[in-house]
Amino acid sequence: FLDRKLDDIDLAAMFIDGIEIAKHAVIIALGVMADGTKVPLGVWCGSTENHVVAAALLQNLIERGLRIDAPVLFVIDGGKGIRKAINDVFGNRAVVQRCHKACNVRDHLPQERRAYVRRQLRDAYKSKSAKTAKMMLGQLASWLEANGEDGAAASLREGLDETLTVLRLG
């Protein structure tokens, strides 16, 4: 699995995320083909989920024949190491969609505000346009700040544009 050639992969998107197993960071890359088929691409281990480990995984995929000649959607969480590795390895061919934003914002909130904020986030991300969604999310961030939830507001604003990539692409 870890040595197989990838030159026959017609990649449309790649999900990259890290998990911790036995005090080691394990970064996993899952490809999505143009026809929607999911293909495990690679796994890389390190002491933390950092740029060096993520870049090593991506370089390994290229060495095994993965071609990225046109823009590809990369779906990632807020890990700065993974984001930097994608930029360094793929440059402007990488189109990034951030995920887990609702969970990240929720983790900054007391229980009694979570349902309201979850609903506002859901409504924004179901908007017909990225412009509308961005406006709604900006209003929510302002409401959070006005109600003393600075951490949640900062979490919402961080990487906001990349949470709207798929909506922007239609």
Side-chain angles (χ1 to χ4, degrees):
F1 161 74
L2 295 177
D3 292 329
R4 80 179 192 288
K5 292 292 183 193
L6 300 173
D7 49 356
D8 61 338
I9 302 291
D10 182 19
L11 197 66
M14 185 185 306
F15 290 80
I16 304 176
D17 202 358
I19 59 172
E20 186 176 319
I21 299 175
K23 297 184 182 178
H24 291 283
V26 179
I27 299 180
I28 301 163
L30 177 70
V32 180
M33 308 271 279
D35 68 0
T37 304
K38 294 178 184 84
V39 180
L41 298 173
V43 175
W44 211 263
C45 296
S47 57
T48 64
E49 183 182 309
N50 63 39
H51 164 261
V52 173
V53 176
L57 168 62
L58 296 174
Q59 288 294 341
N60 176 263
L61 300 179
I62 292 169
E63 289 166 7
R64 291 171 36 217
L66 184 68
R67 293 178 329 278
I68 305 237
D69 300 322
V72 169
L73 179 66
F74 288 84
V75 180
I76 63 172
D77 65 8
K80 293 182 184 351
I82 291 173
R83 182 66 175 95
K84 181 175 178 357
I86 290 169
N87 280 347
D88 289 352
V89 174
F90 296 111
N92 63 3
R93 290 170 290 167
V95 179
V96 175
Q97 168 69 43
R98 292 273 299 274
C99 60
H100 304 309
K101 184 54 74 176
C103 295
N104 297 342
V105 172
R106 179 200 65 216
D107 290 346
H108 290 280
L109 294 169
Q111 191 66 37
E112 61 272 10
R113 289 211 163 131
R114 290 180 178 187
Y116 173 76
V117 171
R118 181 175 42 249
R119 173 72 187 243
Q120 297 303 308
L121 288 167
R122 189 178 319 121
D123 289 350
Y125 286 119
K126 286 184 177 182
S127 296
K128 299 262 188 235
S129 73
K131 182 179 177 182
T132 300
K134 188 172 183 176
M135 179 195 67
M136 292 171 71
L137 294 168
Q139 290 171 343
L140 177 58
S142 295
W143 179 87
L144 288 165
E145 285 175 333
N147 285 279
E149 303 295 350
D150 295 341
S155 179
L156 179 56
R157 286 195 171 107
E158 188 275 322
L160 179 67
D161 285 334
E162 288 184 344
T163 70
L164 300 170
T165 299
V166 170
L167 188 56
R168 195 171 34 259
L169 293 173

